[in-house]
Amino acid sequence: MADSLTIRRVSASPDAFIPISALRSGGPTYAKLVDIGACIGCKGCEVACKEWNDLGVEPTANFGSYQSHRDLSPKTWLLMRFNEVEVDGNLNWLIKKDACLHCEDPGCLFSCPAPGAIVQYTNGIVDFNQESCIGCQYCVTGCPFDIPRFDASTRKVSKCNMCVDRVEAGLEPACVKTCPTNAISWGSKHDMLALADQKVETLQSRGYANAAVYNPAGVGGTHMMYVVPHGDRLADYSLPSDPTASPAPMTGLMFMKRLGAWMMGFGVLGALVHFLRYGPERLDEHGDHRDHGDGPAREAPSARLGGHDGHGDGPARQAPSA
Amino acid sequence: MAERLLTRFSFFERILHWVVGVTFVLLLATGLAFAYPALFWLTALLGGGPSARVLHPWVGVLFTAGMAAMIVVWFRDMFLSDSDRRWLRAVRAYATRDSANVPPAGKYNAGQKMFFWVQGALAVVFVASGVALWFPAAFGASFLQWMRLAHYLATLGGGLFLIVHVYLGTVAYPGTARAMIDGTVTERWARHHHPRWHEEQTRP
Ligand code: SF4
Ligand code: SF4
């Protein structure tokens, strides 16, 4: 297997949560840099994505936007979102290239209960392995960017895989290859960060004072980064300002699962110890404990009722309670 | 002389118990498989990962139906009385087989009644969170994450209760499990475990 496809993390395995610091073992990690300011909205990347990944056509309809589809789908892994926003009195398209960001700490992978259904390669690409997917859609819940899409007919999820098959062969992803304005760049994460800084500087010198790199720390950074001209309007780009790979309920769940495993283990152990100490209960013919036979008798109803034992007329009779 | 037997559970009650029991164990096993990768192989009980994911909610529907019927059938019997409250305070005596200090129980002792109410409450949590997780497209991500936590906590509670329930009902108290098999218990057993019920059943 080529170096680029060495596996770093596997969902639902002991390897899922290795701290990042332990993983910085060298080797190239790739990143895609999307310069939104240089995007002319041609949607060539959408087409290239469909073609390379053989995703098929989904009929589109005019819904009052320049955008091709309303949403991502199992067949549409990349969607240019044409957010129409007024900036300084002018209508602007704050375009977002909506696709998997290939998080360094992937919330989808952390959420997945199926061993091997989601893997992260050492090169930074997060990939779904449909063969192992059980269709629970927990990854959809775990992704802070709302990326994975569930196909109800196959009961599998899918999303952008950064053209992992091309990358493995030393090529750039199809969207990068096709972009006519070079708005999408491809290279090592290190180089792309440097390029991003350059681009931000250029933008700022041209009057975009709030230009910024989108590489959110809450998910450990991403392997698709954006340069946004209006860094102060992330919401208008439909970019979450503070995404996290481990939100409170998931952290709580992880903690409780650990604690719960111990509790259930001790539960079984406790029953065993109790059994060893007290053993199976043994009653004498009156229903008293053999070993307590002469204890300060519970007001043994047996004594009073002894006389009725001979009745034998069926037990089902109901008597009003005393 | 063969010992006289008392009927403890009707045929219908036993069917209900086992519908709930079998479905709960299946749900617990596959649920733990989803929670713990080391137990993922338990999904084989329902035909492997993808099919377990499809069937788990349907088994849950059966469980819910059984549980609902059970609650209706046993509801009135399960209210705690004053003597039950005394029993609960003496639970330590019960656990250590110090039967002289255990207040006499009726048809159900306070522990069984609590088991009933807690499992009933957990069932509500299971169903509410389970429906959300069954149809995730209808809900927001953060809400679903909380539902995962709630579903797990209910699983943990139900699992712990199951351990106690099975232990007490089988090896700890011989003669108990048959009440859920042929529906009967011996008089001796009844006199010891449920003296007030025994008295009602044998009063002329
Ligand atoms: S963007 Fe979503 S789907 Fe992509 S790696 Fe991050 S968490 Fe996973
Ligand atoms: S839907 Fe598939 S990939 Fe997503 S969390 Fe479930 S098993 Fe994992």
Side-chain angles (χ1 to χ4, degrees):
Chain A
M1 187 186 277
D3 234 20
S4 59
L5 288 192
T6 311
I7 285 172
R8 163 191 284 185
R9 283 184 166 119
V10 179
S11 61
S13 80
D15 299 337
F17 297 97
I18 305 170
I20 282 295
S21 54
L23 298 166
R24 298 220 185 272
S25 50
T29 70
Y30 292 107
K32 189 154 79 180
L33 182 68
V34 181
D35 181 355
I36 292 177
C39 170
I40 55 169
C42 73
K43 303 176 212 163
C45 51
E46 283 187 11
V47 177
C49 175
K50 287 242 175 203
E51 287 206 322
W52 179 262
N53 294 296
D54 204 11
L55 294 176
V57 175
E58 280 184 311
T60 58
N62 185 346
F63 57 96
S65 164
Y66 198 68
Q67 194 171 310
S68 62
H69 305 75
R70 277 183 189 274
D71 196 12
L72 295 172
S73 84
K75 279 194 195 171
T76 301
W77 294 349
L78 164 58
L79 176 64
M80 300 309 277
R81 288 194 186 271
F82 285 71
N83 302 298
E84 294 176 11
V85 180
E86 232 180 76
V87 184
D88 305 329
N90 293 315
L91 184 66
N92 273 241
W93 272 326
L94 300 193
I95 294 176
K96 177 197 181 191
K97 180 178 156 76
D98 198 16
C100 175
L101 281 83
H102 297 272
C103 309
E104 185 79 9
D105 291 339
C108 57
L109 189 150
F110 296 161
S111 301
C112 176
I118 304 180
V119 295
Q120 182 184 40
Y121 302 110
T122 49
N123 64 16
I125 295 177
V126 177
D127 197 7
F128 284 10
N129 176 16
Q130 276 83 9
E131 256 173 57
S132 303
C133 168
I134 64 170
C136 65
Q137 303 161 63
Y138 284 175
C139 51
V140 181
T141 309
C143 170
F145 302 100
D146 186 27
I147 296 300
R149 287 294 181 275
F150 179 65
D151 183 337
S153 60
T154 59
R155 298 198 57 80
K156 308 284 180 191
V157 286
S158 49
K159 66 161 187 71
C160 157
N161 60 13
M162 197 79 112
C163 292
V164 63
D165 44 355
R166 292 175 59 90
V167 172
E168 183 197 18
L171 300 170
E172 69 279 70
C175 58
V176 180
K177 170 97 176 167
T178 210
C179 179
T181 66
N182 281 337
I184 318 174
S185 313
W186 175 253
S188 73
K189 170 108 185 186
H190 179 266
D191 290 353
M192 289 304 107
L193 276 172
L195 182 60
D197 286 344
Q198 257 178 46
K199 285 178 183 273
V200 166
E201 237 169 74
T202 312
L203 278 168
Q204 284 175 342
S205 71
R206 291 188 190 166
Y208 291 93
N210 295 310
V213 187
Y214 188 77
N215 178 36
V219 295
T222 57
H223 291 268
M224 172 166 77
M225 301 180 290
Y226 302 97
V227 173
V228 281
H230 303 284
D232 53 333
R233 315 184 70 125
L234 289 181
D236 289 334
Y237 286 98
S238 33
L239 288 169
S241 56
D242 199 12
T244 168
S246 39
M250 296 308 283
T251 312
L253 179 63
M254 250 171 39
F255 174 78
M256 283 314 301
K257 274 194 207 172
R258 262 197 210 153
L259 188 65
W262 285 103
M263 287 169 76
M264 285 186 268
F266 276 115
V268 172
L269 209 64
L272 192 66
V273 169
H274 188 271
F275 186 70
L276 293 178
R277 167 68 182 80
Y278 295 101
E281 183 189 51
R282 279 135 52 99
L283 303 175
D284 67 15
E285 68 182 289
H286 291 296
D288 290 323
H289 278 157
R290 290 223 168 127
D291 39 353
H292 287 267
D294 51 355
R298 308 164 294 101
E299 359 164 332
S302 51
R304 270 180 286 139
L305 293 164
H308 304 305
D309 278 357
H311 274 289
D313 54 355
R317 214 161 7 86
Q318 284 288 339
S321 65
Chain B
M1 189 184 81
E3 210 178 346
R4 212 178 81 173
L5 300 175
L6 299 178
T7 298
R8 188 154 167 80
F9 293 115
S10 71
F11 177 63
F12 182 63
E13 287 172 310
R14 279 176 277 148
I15 292 282
L16 278 187
H17 173 267
W18 287 114
V19 166
V20 170
V22 170
T23 52
F24 186 76
V25 168
L26 278 175
L27 290 167
L28 182 66
T30 48
L32 290 178
F34 297 144
Y36 297 100
L39 297 177
F40 192 75
W41 55 275
L42 281 171
T43 54
L45 285 173
L46 290 179
S51 100
R53 168 59 183 80
V54 171
L55 294 177
H56 181 100
W58 287 105
V59 178
V61 168
L62 259 181
F63 166 82
T64 307
M67 199 67 200
M70 219 176 201
I71 289 175
V72 170
V73 171
W74 285 344
F75 194 73
R76 300 185 116 266
D77 286 340
M78 294 297 175
F79 288 116
L80 290 181
S81 67
D82 281 344
S83 92
D84 285 326
R85 277 180 263 279
R86 261 180 281 125
W87 191 99
L88 282 179
R89 280 194 290 276
V91 68
R92 171 179 273 271
Y94 177 82
T96 55
R97 301 262 171 86
D98 176 12
S99 52
N101 289 315
V102 179
K107 177 158 187 187
Y108 304 106
N109 68 37
Q112 290 164 324
K113 291 181 179 180
M114 292 306 291
F115 180 73
F116 173 86
W117 292 118
V118 173
Q119 288 291 49
L122 290 179
V124 173
V125 178
F126 274 129
V127 173
S129 55
V131 165
L133 295 172
W134 195 4
F135 303 105
F139 303 92
S142 173
F143 175 74
L144 288 167
Q145 289 166 354
W146 286 110
M147 290 302 102
R148 275 188 77 180
L149 180 57
H151 211 70
Y152 177 78
L153 290 176
T155 307
L156 177 57
L160 290 173
F161 262 98
L162 185 73
I163 295 169
V164 177
H165 182 66
V166 171
Y167 170 63
L168 294 181
T170 57
V171 291
Y173 296 122
T176 303
R178 62 179 299 171
M180 275 304 171
I181 298 169
D182 67 4
T184 65
V185 289
T186 63
E187 259 209 274
R188 181 198 310 199
W189 182 93
R191 218 182 276 141
H192 176 68
H193 286 280
H194 300 276
R196 290 194 288 118
W197 176 68
H198 172 258
E199 195 172 343
E200 287 162 22
Q201 294 294 299
T202 52
R203 193 182 293 131

